[in-house]
Amino acid sequence: MILYKTPEEVELIRESCQLVSRTLGMLAGEIKPGVTPLQLDALAETYIRDHQAVPGFKGLYDFPSTLCTSVNEQVVHGIPNNRPLKEGDIISIDCGSYKNGYYGDQAFTFSVGEVDPKTLRLMKVTRECLDQGIEQARAGKRIGDVSFAIQRHAENHGYGVVRELVGHGVGKSMHESPEVPNYGKRGKGTMIKKGLVIAIEPMINLGTKRVKMLKDGWTVITADHRPSAHYEHCVAVFGDRTEILTTFQFVEEALASTVNQ
Ligand code: MG
Ligand code: MG
């Protein structure tokens, strides 16, 4: 069952989303060689709790941490550990918060120092996939239009589109109906209507679309061990427009000031 949101509920989800976006912006200034995912996780948890919210993932399905930190060939759901990040790594950070009864959810893939051009291109195209998916998330379209747009752009570049993990509705639960796959057919699937709030989150692999699960029962990695990128926004559908509730603005500002140092 899809729970359509009132404008008042959308504002509460936006508040939770903006906190996640600010958390990612704070983390953006901390990511460098030598830093560990566990350090980032501690910073994120403190930041979220300091803003009258609680981490959205910690304890959800028994996940142990505030962040999912997925490095290089890790696709999603990496558990923060104490292995220092190295020059040339990429790290996808997925963060959730719970505030005023509503969840926020967002992900961004960061470079650690200088990253090779092939991987940078994967990151750029994955972000474009997200933009093109959001472009289709309008009242009167269907979820398949979003899915198709993401898949087409990724596959036009020869990349693998992960099938096993999908976007989702967001609200009083972190994961609500409908599922929002990153592959699909135009004109198929759930009708997109006013009040729908969904997380759109392409997970795109440099090589094969196939993935494997590590023994920890959480971490999803690419079957060929080549890198994977992940970007996520939450969006709210109104009758005449769609608004992005999360933002990359804080990440962009932090990255720009790091470059200028
Ligand atoms: Mg997420
Ligand atoms: Mg999500």
Side-chain angles (χ1 to χ4, degrees), residues 57 94 105-106 166-168 170 174-175 199-201 230 232:
F57 298 158
D94 197 342
D105 188 13
Q106 188 179 27
V166 296
H168 50 92
V170 179
M174 173 64 88
H175 297 119
I200 302 176
E201 49 178 318
H230 180 208
E232 175 178 28

Side-chain angles (χ1 to χ4, degrees), residues 108-138:
F108 192 92
T109 301
F110 297 90
S111 302
V112 183
E114 235 170 273
V115 168
D116 82 83
K118 268 189 184 172
T119 305
L120 286 177
R121 182 149 183 79
L122 169 72
M123 293 160 71
K124 177 171 175 282
V125 170
T126 304
R127 220 173 133 171
E128 291 167 358
C129 286
L130 175 58
D131 293 340
Q132 295 194 15
I134 292 171
E135 194 57 43
Q136 296 297 314
R138 301 188 175 277

Side-chain angles (χ1 to χ4, degrees), residues 5-15 100 102 238:
K5 276 66 180 186
T6 64
E8 293 73 26
E9 287 183 289
V10 170
E11 288 317 305
L12 292 171
I13 299 170
R14 192 197 307 272
E15 222 185 292
N100 298 325
Y102 290 86
F238 292 85

Side-chain angles (χ1 to χ4, degrees), residues 138-164:
R138 301 188 175 277
K141 297 260 188 184
R142 289 181 182 270
I143 293 294
D145 295 314
V146 176
S147 306
F148 176 83
I150 293 169
Q151 179 180 18
R152 180 177 56 181
H153 192 60
E155 291 183 350
N156 279 347
H157 288 83
Y159 297 147
V161 177
V162 175
R163 301 298 202 264
E164 287 82 351

Side-chain angles (χ1 to χ4, degrees), residues 73 75 205 208 210-212 220-228:
E73 78 277 13
V75 179
N205 300 343
T208 180
R210 289 186 304 113
V211 297
K212 297 191 291 196
V220 177
I221 67 165
T222 57
D224 59 6
H225 297 266
R226 298 180 78 193
S228 183

